[in-house]
Amino acid sequence: MSSLEPSAAARFDPALVPDLRRHTARGTVINGMFLIGANALGLVKGLVVASLLATSTYGVWGLLGVTLGTLLLLGSVGIDDKYIQQDDPDQKRAFEIAFTLQSLLAALFMVIIVVAIPIFSLIYDQPDMIAPGIALAAAMPALALQTPLWVHYRRMDFVKQRTLQVVDPVVSLVVTTVLALAGLEIWALVIGALAGAWSAAIAIVATSPYSLRFRWERGALAEYTSFSWPLFLAALSTVLVAQVPMAVTSRQLGAAAVGGIALALNVSQFASRVDDIVTQTLYPAICAVKDRADLLFESFWKSNRLALLWAAPCGTALALFAADFVHYVIGNKWKFAIPLLVAFGLTAVVNQVAFNWSAFFRARGQTRPIAAASLVYMAAVMAIAVPLLAVSGLTAFGVGMGLATVVFVLARVWFLAPIFPPRAVLGHAARGIAPTLPAAAAVLLLRLLESGNRTPLVAVAELAAFIAIVVAVTIVSERTLLRESLGYLRRRNVAAGTV
């Protein structure tokens, strides 16, 4: 597009907002196709290994996933966000600085992973995770080499970005499945993850817009540190929220129970994917109009409401059909996790309210509220969910996580109050959830009228009815918002409006 300047610090001219709207809308579709597809591949991989591996082996992989995932989260906070947010007139210089910092961080966390994995194995009392965990540290250099993706992201060149990124999940799925069928068990997952990360890194480096050169500037380091330390603190809180319950579960209930939590997280996170898609697409656009309060609020409520139109049905469907999912899809060996799946499904719906709030603070360069809200959430998990887990087990833990999530949502709304009115935020969230309610009521009514043994055909019929009602009510109640969004995709000049 003519309003997009890939080689300059400028992105979109805020005066050309309709162009930005259409570009963002099309980017949402591109990102949606990628992320839904990539996560579907991840879900397929998870279901394949869940069916092929023993629950205890899957539990060890769940521990590794949580451990490495949270460590990698600490190893990537803020640098990419700050690179997208910056407006340096020399973008080559800006990239080299960001690549240098990311490479240093990757090297540091490669060492941290090697040291931390044996420590976590002692905490979890799972020595089988040491060797595969240390082997996974070899993915860190590959992640640093994927830094050129940020350039495409900042330019909103989503086609190039996602084409390169799709290499990882495709290679990982193929390699993991083949090796799992060959009987390599947990090593199938390890080798598959490494193959995916390095294949993507090779493709990304080969097409990088800039040469991979190091540049060190003390002033830039201070600027990145000021932006990033609250995000690091928020990530550290996330680490504790993930690790403490896993440690308690591993020690008191065993690896199979850990596998139950990992399964519930894996499935329930599918509900958040549209919000992830929209937020990731919006972030560079938000940075381009970060001084326009009216546009910021419009993008906030529209994106959050659209995301809830997906998340609310997905999370509710998981809660309603968790037992059918276990009995007819992944097997009764996961029967103990059904209440946890129900709780995590409903929690996923609540968690989508103002879920993309942090993107707006990051775009404005105000990252401290993100850290504060994360600390509130961590305190709620430690005070509510972890004691319930220790005393009453997995089902109570699911309830506790739901309560902690409500506290987290209220904290988001409170911190947003100076820039976005709380009543409007909650009102738009309620409208995003509303189409799911009659569908859920219809399924519950059908179950009251059921007679005889439940069969897969009955479950499929109920799910079809649920989807049909959600779609019909959504089209009727949100036709203006949907028409506007689709209008951008059809390149029509749709004026911004209030729904």
Side-chain angles (χ1 to χ4, degrees):
M1 295 178 58
S2 60
S3 58
L4 191 61
E5 290 283 344
S7 61
R11 311 159 210 255
F12 282 92
D13 183 344
L16 302 175
V17 172
D19 288 339
L20 179 56
R21 292 174 189 275
R22 285 195 294 271
H23 193 81
T24 303
R26 290 194 295 275
T28 300
V29 173
I30 293 167
N31 287 332
M33 292 172 62
F34 167 77
L35 290 177
I36 290 177
N39 283 288
L41 291 174
L43 183 61
V44 169
K45 184 174 75 171
L47 295 178
V48 167
V49 297
S51 63
L52 293 175
L53 304 182
T55 56
S56 58
T57 302
Y58 193 84
V60 172
W61 179 251
L63 289 174
L64 280 172
V66 170
T67 302
L68 292 172
T70 49
L71 288 174
L72 291 176
L73 179 65
L74 291 175
S76 62
V77 291
I79 296 178
D80 54 345
D81 290 331
K82 179 59 182 174
Y83 173 75
I84 305 303
Q85 191 258 358
Q86 53 80 30
D87 292 311
D88 195 316
D90 184 349
Q91 284 300 297
K92 180 175 179 291
R93 167 186 173 275
F95 171 77
E96 290 173 355
I97 291 171
F99 173 66
T100 300
L101 295 175
Q102 183 68 2
S103 298
L104 290 172
L105 210 55
L108 172 63
F109 274 85
M110 188 174 183
V111 175
I112 289 175
I113 288 171
V114 172
V115 173
I117 287 296
I119 297 174
F120 278 108
S121 73
L122 291 175
I123 294 173
Y124 294 138
D125 193 24
Q126 295 291 337
D128 290 344
M129 65 183 287
I130 295 177
I134 291 176
L136 285 169
M140 290 305 298
L143 296 182
L145 292 174
Q146 293 180 25
T147 303
L149 281 175
W150 303 353
V151 181
H152 305 304
Y153 183 33
R154 187 179 185 277
R155 296 175 180 177
M156 300 183 73
D157 186 357
F158 298 117
V159 173
K160 176 63 72 66
Q161 177 194 5
R162 297 311 189 182
T163 300
L164 293 168
Q165 281 185 296
V166 79
V167 173
D168 187 341
V170 170
V171 171
S172 179
L173 172 62
V174 172
V175 173
T176 298
T177 302
V178 170
L179 296 182
L181 289 171
L184 268 67
E185 297 192 340
I186 197 169
W187 286 101
L189 290 158
V190 173
I191 297 171
L194 291 174
W198 276 100
S199 297
I202 292 169
I204 291 165
V205 170
T207 57
S208 176
Y210 302 117
S211 299
L212 301 185
R213 296 175 180 170
F214 296 124
R215 180 189 289 261
W216 178 261
E217 294 187 11
R218 187 180 300 274
L221 176 62
E223 183 180 0
Y224 270 84
T225 301
S226 176
F227 181 91
S228 299
W229 75 258
L231 299 180
F232 180 85
L233 186 59
L236 183 60
S237 301
T238 302
V239 168
L240 294 175
V241 164
Q243 292 293 341
V244 172
M246 285 295 197
V248 172
T249 302
S250 180
R251 284 195 163 273
Q252 293 197 358
L253 303 177
V258 173
I261 294 178
L263 178 67
L265 283 170
N266 188 25
V267 177
S268 65
Q269 284 176 356
F270 200 71
S272 70
R273 294 317 182 194
V274 166
D275 207 329
D276 292 341
I277 293 164
V278 174
T279 301
Q280 289 185 29
T281 307
L282 274 178
Y283 182 62
I286 295 168
C287 291
V289 296
K290 55 193 172 190
D291 297 323
R292 293 282 302 275
D294 57 333
L295 294 178
L296 287 180
F297 183 56
E298 180 190 343
S299 61
F300 172 79
W301 72 256
K302 287 182 178 178
S303 61
N304 198 223
R305 204 157 103 192
L306 285 169
L308 276 165
L309 292 175
W310 167 271
C314 284
T316 304
L318 175 58
L320 290 171
F321 297 96
D324 297 318
F325 174 68
V326 168
H327 295 322
Y328 305 130
V329 179
I330 62 174
N332 283 324
K333 64 184 178 181
W334 295 104
K335 185 177 180 180
F336 70 92
I338 291 175
L340 196 63
L341 287 167
V342 173
F344 274 44
L346 296 176
T347 298
V349 178
V350 176
N351 195 38
Q352 292 306 295
V353 177
F355 185 78
N356 59 348
W357 74 293
S358 67
F360 293 83
F361 280 102
R362 284 182 280 129
R364 291 159 58 95
Q366 300 171 349
T367 53
R368 294 188 182 189
I370 300 172
S374 297
L375 291 173
V376 169
Y377 179 51
M378 182 185 70
V381 170
M382 300 307 168
I384 302 172
V386 172
L388 286 174
L389 171 65
V391 173
S392 302
L394 288 181
T395 300
F397 172 65
V399 174
M401 288 300 293
L403 295 174
T405 299
V406 171
V407 173
F408 191 22
V409 169
L410 293 176
R412 294 174 192 162
V413 175
W414 190 83
F415 281 112
L416 281 169
I419 55 176
F420 299 150
R423 182 176 296 182
V425 170
L426 295 175
H428 286 298
R431 289 190 61 175
I433 295 172
T436 302
L437 300 181
V443 170
L444 294 175
L445 179 60
L446 286 173
R447 290 182 181 178
L448 286 176
L449 300 176
E450 272 184 22
S451 60
N453 294 328
R454 186 169 180 82
T455 65
L457 184 61
V458 171
V460 170
E462 287 182 0
L463 179 59
F466 176 85
I467 294 172
I469 295 172
V470 167
V471 171
V473 175
T474 299
I475 291 174
V476 171
S477 63
E478 296 289 355
R479 58 187 178 278
T480 305
L481 180 59
L482 294 174
R483 185 167 57 246
E484 179 186 341
S485 301
L486 292 173
Y488 296 134
L489 295 176
R490 292 195 295 267
R491 298 178 178 269
R492 293 189 324 187
N493 239 340
V494 181
T498 302
V499 179

